[in-house]
Structure formats: structure tokens, C-alpha cells
Amino acid sequence: MNLDFTQEQDEIRDGIRKLLRGIADDALLIGLQGKETGYLPAIWGGLSEGGWHGVVIPEEFGGFGLGLGDSCVVFEEYGAGPLPHLYFTCAGVSPYFLMEAGTDAQKQRLLPSLADGTMRVTVAAAEVEASWTGAPVKTRLEEHDGRLLLSGEKMYVPDALGATHALVTAKTASGGTALVMVDLAAAGCARELLRSFSCWETRLAFDGVEVSADDVIGGIGADAAPAIARAISRAIPGLAAYQVGSSQSAYTLALEHSRTRIQFGQPVGRFQRVQDHIVELINHLDSARWLTYETIWQIEQDKAGSQTAIHTLKALVADSHWEACNASHEVHAGIGADMQYGLAKHTHLSHTLFHFLGSPSWHRDRVAVTLGW
Amino acid sequence: MDFEIRYTADQANFRKEVAAWLGDNCPPEVINSEWIHTPPAIYERQRELGRKLGAKGWLYPVAPTEYGGGGLDTDSARVIIEELGKLGLNLPPYYDSGGVLGSMAILVWGTEEQKQKFLPPIYKGEVRTWQLLTEPSAGSDLAGVSTSAVRDGDEYVITGQKIYIGSDNGAEGFWTIARTGDPKDRHKNLSWFWIGKGTPGLSWQPMRLLGDQDKNTVFLDDVRVPAIALVGGENNGWKVASTHLELEHGFRTDIGSTLNEHKTLDRLIKHCQETVIDGERLIDRPGIRDQLVRLHTHAEVARVWGMRNFWMASQRKQSYEGSQSSYASKTHRMAMTRLIAELAGPAGMMRNGPAPAAEGELALVAEGAIGSSHGGGTVDIQRVVMSRRLGIGRAEGQSGAKLA
């Protein structure tokens, strides 16, 4: 047993932390709130220079090819700011969709562009009447006069206004699921920012958007559903690490506030009511943190129960990130609710990610199923 | 990171040796025997096994050999704990909180003479000890005890009353904390004493607690102990107690206890799989499945924290984590109790009759949950310890007590 990070992981953490301090400091991230998109060329370009968009992409496709545990060290740092979830989605979710569903030729063609940051690819799965993990999507990919046309509407898409492309799930005439790479600048494609208690969730509408056979990931006729399920499972540990990083920041802010905020003539952290909030906060944080680390290890070791662990993790982290932010707000009161303070961006993220890659209740059901209940 | 405990070839061989020895020496009636409510005849056999383990140095395997311990590394100790676990036994195979916690305090604070005198009987299993700490008027505020110890020549005379002590079947040695200084000198007016077997003036009365627990009220009436019984120096008892309490509040070098959450949950899951009410398996009801998964998740966290704590304790890096685990398991048990009632229905609280859920095991867990949420420090005390260690509202976190 050894629960320390490797020296290489410590170096990776130092590297990304130093970079983010320079290109995405707290003031900048606070300023991004309320903007149309979380995409900022200065941040994106800085990450591109270091090759950080390609941490999970294998070297043969132009990425770093980091192991799971190493890449999660990076995503934990993404969460500390937090970097908007477009950055995480592009680096930690979309690549898995392509790696799982794509043909060799598609991987050769597309993954290097994800790795070097030329393409910013978000993922569009949920709809008004379909969840992230549900099958009955209404968006359709159909052939008309030899042209492939995409029609329908996607909801809760991570920051489509900041992305160049989206991987879109659609039904085909055969009833199978297709995964389509859509250029968001294409004719017939509309994007809209949704106003919500979350951040940069968008609606995408496709009005007969023409795509090529090459854009259909895995090829025409292939049912992408199993590959999508695998991709979601592969992306969950990174998502959890991203949320752990954000929860850690919510904790650090609360702890510091408990020491510096004076009321009734003493630091508010001397009051047990306030202490209790921070105790609950760190309990949520540590639940997520250690389950994340152990799940990563289980996957790396190919343990028999790792699929159950993945579903358990997603359900737990969705809750714990949310509750960690809530507890931090209780400690801060009005100060934390001020959009200029820096806590709200974590709170918004915790709400945004709650249903991302499948709702907690769906994942809890999968826990029961995989345990054979 | 590596979450797996990997045993060397030597340790694997040691496991075989331990298993074979237990096969030869563990009385059959002791296997899976109760830790509390132990019938006297069974208890005697548990003690017999304890003495045999003690003679081999396996009762307190990591304790120094010069005082009768095993001098083994923590991995080998875990091998012993795991092999005993397979027989449904803990190490020691009987309730001995005073030995487990109290011996550490002596190792840290005792003089060489005291270590030579007090530790071997514990490590050899010859005495079982109770910790006499809580008083009727001093619970969470342990430093406010009013039991007094007055120096009289070469002796101290101890007078007072202690409560919620030990379990059944008595004990042969006792640790206690008593006031030796000015009541106003809080934390600097206490001293830590050993009281040996058969000391006149010491008596106890069994008391029944919620959850069918056997505890005792202990009376100290002019109990005379020799000066050597004072450990850590006069008015230094709070520091000695802090070492003791560090372990009480969850600093653990074994990970066995953390599996308890899963054990009860597994029993509950099995019950929900086997029980058909109104024509439907309980576990097929979505609401029940969802609640069971939530508890499964808590139990997973407890399990992983247990490994984390074990790792940190072995590196001597643990600070708030022991109390965090303690807090989580106490609250988890309460949640489990609620769920047993919810899921198993009235049968979940039955211990007999035609259809007690899970042969009454769930009822036992449920009954014990409230009491165990107080024992060894309340839920709130765990939060207080965490807050201090984390440094909430303070410039920095406080460090843990001194350990050997």
C-alpha cells in the first residue's frame, strides 16, 4: 500500500498549477462569469502551448498519453479555479468518445486536432425528453437524396458557444444510435445560451444540417451506443477529479474565512455552528477525494468491481460537490453570495455537473444492477 | 497510489503459521462468540486464548518485546488480525479497551520501571483492563472530573465515582484519571493512575443501557495505590489522557473495524432480496434499491477512509482523519438503523417471534446504534476534535497527541 502521489504526478501538478496561475487567475475567472462563453483565447492558447488539451489522447494521435491517474491530477487542478467546464469537456470527455467510437481513420484525422487545440469539441447528448444516458433521443440522422441530414434539438450542452464542434447523438433510420461530429458553424445549426442556475449550458438546434459520411463516428450503420456508454465510464474519474478540485477550493475559502472574518469580537470559526458546516464540507470533500483515488486505482488494476465503483463515484461526487459548495456558502453568508468573491463559480459548476454524464439516480440504479441485486 | 496491502513471501508464510496455530489452539466455542454479553464460560475460554496469544507475543503484536509484546511489524500484526477475523474474533478476542488504549499511554508516558511493571501483564493477556474515565458529572468535559487523588505518604488515596465503564465479566486492572490539583487549574490539575487487581475500596455495579449494553458504575472509596501507580507525573494526567484519547477517537493502525458498515448492510441487502411483501421482493422496489445504494456508497467511503487512516497512521501523518471516520461510522449506524426500520418493517426490530428480520441481527444493530454514537466520544466531540485539528477559526491546526 502506498497512498502518496508519484513524483511524476507531483511534477505534473506543479506544471499545470503554475501555468494556470499565470493564464487563469482568480480575478480572470471571476470576470468570466456571466459572459456568453467560458472560452477565452488567452487561456485556451496557453493550454495549447503546453499540449494540455491532449492529456488523455495517446501519443500516436498527438497527445500526452498520460495514464488515468496522471490525467486526473491535471483535472483536479482544472477544478481548483475552476476552469470552465468547456475546457474539461474538450480534454476529458470528447477524446474518449472519439477513442471509443471512432474508426482508425477518424482517430488519425480528428484526435490530433483535439490534442493541439485546433478543434474545441463539446458533447451533445441530452434532450428535453432524453437524459444523458437515455436511449430515446429524437434527434435524427437521415439520408435524403444521398445527403446525410441532422435534425433535432440538444439540451444542456456544455458551452456550445465556445466550442467549434459538437459530438451529437442521433437516431438513425435503422433505430441505432449514431454519433456525429458537427461543425457548429455549419448552415442550419443554431446555438443558444440557456439562462440557469448553472454555467454555460446551451441549447443546440439542427435544422437539416448536412454532414458527411466521415463525420459519422464509427461509420454509417454502426450502433455507437455501446461505445458511448464506455466513453462515459472512462470520463467519470476525470470528472470526479475535476469536481474534487473545485470542492477543495470551496473548502479552502471557507477555512480561510473562518479565520479572518470577525463577528461578535472573534473569528466566526470559533463558533461551533460555523465549525459544523466546515466539518460537513470536508466530509463531503474527503468522501469524493478518496473514492476518486481508489476508483482510479481499481480501473488501473482492472479490478472486478471497477464498473460498480465508477457508478458509485459519479453518484457520490455529484452530491458531495453540491453539498460542499452549499456548506461553504453557509460559512460565508452574504460575502460568498457576492459574484465578485469567487465562491459562486464553484457553486454554479456543482449545479452544472450534477446531471452531466448521467444523473446521480441513474448511476445509483446502475450500482444496484452491477452488484447483481 | 496503491490501495492494496501486498504481503511478502515471509508474511504469506507467517499467515500459514498463524492459521495453523489458531487451528490448534482456538477453542471451538470461542469462534464467532460474542464480544459483549459473553457468558462466563465462553469468556473464560476467550481469556484462555488471549493468554496463549500473549505467550506468543501475538496478543499485542506490535508492542515492544522487552515488555512482553510481539515486536512485529504492522503488516504481520494485520495478518494476525485478519486470521482472527476469519474466526469472527477481534484482537484481543475479548473486550479490553483499557489494554489497547491504556498501554499506549504507558509506553509514551511511563517510566522504565512502570513499563516493566504494568505492560507485561497486559501484553501477556494476564489482566484485562477497564478505563475509568467518564463520571456522572463529567462526560464530554472529561477534564472536569471530580474524582480526587490525595497524596498520603508513599500512597495516593483515590475517591470518586465513574460511570459507563467496561462490559460484563469484570476486569483485573484499571486506568483512571483523577484530580490532584487546584480545581481552577484546568488541564493542569489531573493525574493518571493504575489501579491493580483486588485493591480495597474498588467496587462496581452493573447498569443496563439502551441497546442492551452491559456497562458498570464504578465506586472508588479511599482506594489506596502506591506512588508508582502515578503515570506521567503529578498534574500531568491530561497529557497522558490525550494519548489515550487519540486512539479512542479513531487513530487506528488496523483497518478491520471499517468493514462493519458493509457487514450490516450486506445483511440488510440479503434480507431485502429474500423477503417478499405484498407479492414483491423488497429489493425490487425502486425506492428501496435507491436507499440501499446510498448506504452502500456511505459504506464504501467508510471502507476507503479506513484504508486511508491505516496508511496515514502507519506513516504517523494522521490528524483529523481518525475522528472523521469515527464521526462517519457513528452517524452511518444511526442512518442504518433508520433504514432497517424503513426497509425491513416491524420485523427489522424483532429479536424473536416467527419472522425476525435476519434472525434478529438487524434489531441488535439498530438497538446498539444510539449507544455507540456516544461511546468513546460523542458525535459532537468528534466534530470538535476535527475542528481543532483543521484549525477552523484558528491560525493553524492543532497537532495530535504524542504516540509511541
Side-chain angles (χ1 to χ4, degrees), chain A residues 1-6 9 251 255 258-259 267-270 272 274-276 278-280 282-284 286-288 290-291 293-295 297-298 300-301 303 308-309 312 315-316 319 360-361 363-365 367-369 371-373, chain B residues 1-6 255 265 269 273 281 283-284 288-290 292-294 296-298 300-301 303-305 307-312 315 317 320-321 324 327-328 380 382-384 386-388 390-397:
Chain A
M1 181 183 277
N2 181 350
L3 303 189
D4 285 334
F5 288 98
T6 63
Q9 287 170 334
Y251 169 73
L255 184 67
S258 83
R259 294 169 169 173
V268 292
R270 300 308 284 258
Q272 290 185 352
V274 174
Q275 291 173 5
D276 285 350
I278 300 181
V279 165
E280 288 308 325
I282 199 168
N283 288 346
H284 285 297
D286 282 350
S287 299
W290 290 96
L291 219 53
Y293 295 160
E294 205 221 17
T295 301
W297 172 80
Q298 282 199 38
E300 286 178 337
Q301 299 292 312
K303 293 282 174 189
T308 305
T312 307
L316 175 107
D319 258 341
S361 63
H363 283 283
R364 281 197 296 273
D365 184 63
V367 171
V369 170
L371 284 173
W373 291 0
Chain B
M1 290 187 187
D2 180 3
F3 282 78
E4 195 148 298
I5 297 161
R6 298 177 193 281
I255 54 176
L265 181 60
I269 291 164
Q273 286 172 322
R281 286 197 319 160
I283 202 151
D284 290 333
I288 285 181
R289 280 166 88 82
D290 193 68
L292 284 173
V293 174
R294 286 172 188 268
H296 166 82
T297 306
H298 289 169
E300 281 293 276
V301 169
R303 181 182 61 76
V304 176
W305 281 0
M307 291 200 283
R308 171 200 65 174
N309 294 3
F310 168 73
W311 165 252
M312 289 189 158
Q315 306 286 303
K317 283 197 278 197
Y320 68 93
E321 292 88 352
Q324 184 181 45
Y327 172 78
D380 289 330
Q382 309 302 336
R383 286 197 276 224
V384 168
M386 284 182 72
S387 297
R388 290 183 180 168
L390 292 167
I392 299 170
R394 297 164 192 270
E396 57 184 32

Side-chain angles (χ1 to χ4, degrees), chain A residues 121-358:
Chain A
V121 183
T122 188
V123 181
E127 300 181 356
V128 171
E129 293 180 13
S131 70
W132 253 91
T133 44
V137 299
K138 287 185 177 168
T139 300
R140 300 194 70 82
L141 179 68
E142 288 171 327
E143 206 177 323
H144 290 284
D145 307 327
R147 297 160 69 213
L148 278 170
L149 300 179
L150 187 71
S151 301
E153 180 187 54
K154 288 290 175 184
M155 294 292 289
Y156 324 121
V157 181
D159 204 351
L161 291 163
T164 60
H165 295 75
L167 282 164
V168 180
T169 59
K171 281 285 173 214
T172 61
S174 66
T177 300
L179 183 68
V180 190
M181 180 70 87
V182 179
D183 183 339
L184 295 174
C189 177
R191 335 175 211 185
E192 178 194 0
L193 179 63
L194 300 166
R195 292 174 58 82
S196 63
F197 187 3
S198 57
C199 41
W200 302 302
E201 289 196 271
T202 45
R203 171 180 168 271
L204 275 178
F206 309 105
D207 183 11
V209 175
E210 183 167 2
V211 297
S212 72
D214 279 349
D215 295 328
V216 181
I217 305 305
I220 291 173
D223 183 12
I228 290 170
R230 290 196 302 274
I232 287 174
S233 285
R234 288 183 69 182
I236 283 173
L239 173 67
Y242 179 50
Q243 295 186 266
V244 165
S246 173
S247 303
Q248 173 69 48
S249 292
Y251 169 73
T252 307
L253 286 171
L255 184 67
E256 191 54 31
H257 190 74
S258 83
R259 294 169 169 173
T260 53
R261 171 73 171 171
I262 309 293
Q263 292 286 278
F264 304 100
Q266 57 180 331
V268 292
R270 300 308 284 258
F271 295 102
Q272 290 185 352
R273 284 272 165 85
V274 174
Q275 291 173 5
D276 285 350
H277 291 306
I278 300 181
V279 165
E280 288 308 325
L281 203 174
I282 199 168
N283 288 346
H284 285 297
L285 167 62
D286 282 350
S287 299
R289 178 185 296 286
W290 290 96
L291 219 53
T292 299
Y293 295 160
E294 205 221 17
T295 301
I296 290 166
W297 172 80
Q298 282 199 38
I299 295 167
E300 286 178 337
Q301 299 292 312
D302 204 13
K303 293 282 174 189
S306 62
Q307 191 60 40
T308 305
I310 288 167
H311 294 302
T312 307
L313 180 64
K314 163 63 205 183
L316 175 107
V317 172
D319 258 341
S320 60
H321 187 198
W322 178 297
E323 295 295 342
C325 292
N326 280 2
S328 193
H329 276 289
E330 292 305 314
V331 173
H332 285 91
I335 291 168
D338 183 343
M339 295 299 285
Q340 296 306 306
Y341 178 74
L343 175 59
K345 53 186 162 39
H346 295 285
T347 315
H348 276 112
L349 183 68
S350 74
H351 285 63
T352 308
L353 299 178
F354 194 74
H355 292 286
F356 188 53
L357 302 183

